[in-house]
Amino acid sequence: MDCIFCKIVNGDIPAYKVYENDKVLGFLDISQTTKGHTLLIPKKHVANLYELSSEDASEIFSVVPMVANALKKAFKPIGLNLVNNTEKPLQTVNHFHIHLLPRYSSDSLQIGFANYADSLTKEDYLEVTDAIVSAIKKT
Ligand code: 5GP
Ligand code: ZN
């Protein structure tokens, strides 16, 4: 399979590995959007979040706090973002990964959330809630 991250797992292409266990690999994102920008991936090829089993999710998320704390210790960022891009065009590598992005006061990233609460009614919230709850019931 022509997957860059599987090639990293298999050692076919190099990576700056920071953590590894039986199921999970952590390595530097080549872009280094911020200092220490790290990717965590399942060693098994899983295309994206929608394809991740609960077991795969448990394996990978169980190491997130440890790696986050290591980044905190190593670089003393002001904070950290966890980011996952799911499906094209957001997702550019089709092997599930979590970005750990240490944040610095000097970085120019704009990762924030707009707040539309003032323009929403209780009915709006209920409609959205019902849509999600009924979708969960069908899973
Ligand atoms: P996405 O946009 O899919 O969430 O992020 C994919 C990430 O993979 C990008 O941040 C990109 O810099 C990183 N990336 C792409 N190719 C390679 C590679 O060959 N090695 C490493 N270490 N990172 C890569
Ligand atoms: Zn893969």
Side-chain angles (χ1 to χ4, degrees):
M1 185 189 303
D2 196 23
C3 170
I4 285 178
F5 289 174
C6 280
K7 286 179 180 163
I8 287 175
V9 170
N10 295 334
D12 296 333
I13 63 171
Y16 297 97
K17 296 180 183 176
V18 300
Y19 176 76
E20 184 166 14
N21 68 23
D22 282 356
K23 302 279 170 60
V24 178
L25 179 64
F27 55 96
L28 297 187
D29 188 305
I30 201 77
S31 69
Q32 288 298 284
T33 297
T34 62
K35 186 173 187 178
H37 181 186
T38 295
L39 300 175
L40 282 177
I41 66 170
K43 287 186 170 178
K44 178 174 82 178
H45 182 85
V46 178
N48 61 40
L49 182 63
Y50 298 137
E51 304 293 324
L52 203 64
S53 68
S54 296
E55 291 74 22
D56 295 336
S58 299
E59 297 285 357
I60 193 156
F61 279 93
S62 70
V63 304
V64 167
M66 181 273 293
V67 177
N69 275 292
L71 292 171
K72 182 180 183 189
K73 193 172 167 187
F75 304 120
K76 315 237 173 337
I78 57 164
L80 185 145
N81 292 123
L82 271 192
V83 179
N84 165 256
N85 291 317
T86 304
E87 289 199 322
K88 289 178 187 172
L90 303 179
Q91 185 177 357
T92 61
V93 175
N94 201 32
H95 180 132
F96 176 78
H97 51 283
I98 301 170
H99 297 258
L100 284 87
L101 207 55
R103 298 298 304 277
Y104 305 94
S105 51
S106 57
D107 74 45
S108 54
L109 289 181
Q110 301 281 333
I111 300 180
F113 295 98
N115 186 343
Y116 299 109
D118 287 347
S119 62
L120 296 170
T121 64
K122 186 179 176 187
E123 287 68 35
D124 293 327
Y125 284 101
L126 284 174
E127 191 182 319
V128 174
T129 303
D130 288 348
I132 298 168
V133 169
S134 53
I136 287 174
K137 281 182 185 152
K138 287 175 192 150
T139 59

